[in-house]
Amino acid sequence: MKKNIEVLHRALEQFNNPATRESYFALYDDNAVLQSYAEVEPGLASIKQFYQQLWLAFPDARVEVEEVFASGDKVACRFVMYATHQGDFNGLAATDKAIALPGITILRFANGKCVERWSQSDFLGLMQQLGAISAPDTHFAKL
């Protein structure tokens, strides 16, 4: 369990450094499946394409781990990705706005590699931060 946490931390160090980002993909098995990513097909090639598009939109992206724990072959991580929107993202042109995208991910490991992953991130909040959609009317919060 501890080894898998160390693998995740090393991968995130690579993710956070634009000069070593390609090394981030060592985290994944060649046949890894990202379960909660609708447009990402199984396999490392599709995972790489997803992240390369993310890094074009948010080239200074960095992930800060807030909490991590393991059980059996799974590692759970609560994180925040901080970045600046500097390229096209889901059809939205660069806004140069700073964002904070919180999320939770669960990775299943086999032989020191992530073979399956589930994630949940606040993309509604992200689109609000980018100005693509309005924030909800706050008067409902008082009810």
Side-chain angles (χ1 to χ4, degrees):
M1 287 187 291
K2 184 176 179 180
K3 179 184 174 194
N4 292 338
I5 291 174
E6 291 170 1
V7 168
L8 176 60
H9 280 294
R10 274 194 310 274
L12 290 175
E13 287 174 15
Q14 303 304 316
F15 179 100
N16 289 342
N17 182 347
T20 62
R21 281 203 170 137
E22 284 299 314
S23 298
Y24 167 74
F25 298 114
L27 170 67
Y28 295 101
D29 181 80
D30 288 343
N31 299 307
V33 177
L34 303 189
Q35 294 289 0
S36 50
Y37 296 74
E39 65 279 353
V40 180
E41 297 292 324
L44 188 55
S46 186
I47 293 169
K48 284 182 177 184
Q49 182 179 15
F50 169 80
Y51 279 104
Q52 288 163 347
Q53 290 174 346
L54 178 76
W55 292 328
L56 285 173
F58 303 99
D60 62 344
R62 71 185 189 290
V63 172
E64 291 186 15
V65 173
E66 295 191 337
E67 186 174 14
V68 65
F69 56 92
S71 178
D73 62 352
K74 293 185 178 82
V75 174
C77 177
R78 188 169 55 86
F79 65 89
V80 178
M81 184 182 85
Y82 296 96
T84 309
H85 182 215
Q86 298 176 11
D88 183 76
F89 178 71
N90 288 349
L92 181 63
T95 62
D96 290 321
K97 292 183 178 183
I99 61 99
L101 177 64
I104 295 174
T105 192
I106 301 169
L107 303 93
R108 185 172 66 82
F109 283 83
N111 300 316
K113 299 269 189 176
C114 175
V115 295
E116 194 170 18
R117 182 175 168 194
W118 302 261
S119 296
Q120 191 69 38
S121 297
D122 183 13
F123 282 100
L124 176 61
L126 172 62
M127 297 309 279
Q128 289 171 341
Q129 291 173 62
L130 296 176
I133 58 174
S134 299
D137 191 346
T138 58
H139 77 276
F140 290 111
K142 297 176 185 175
L143 296 177

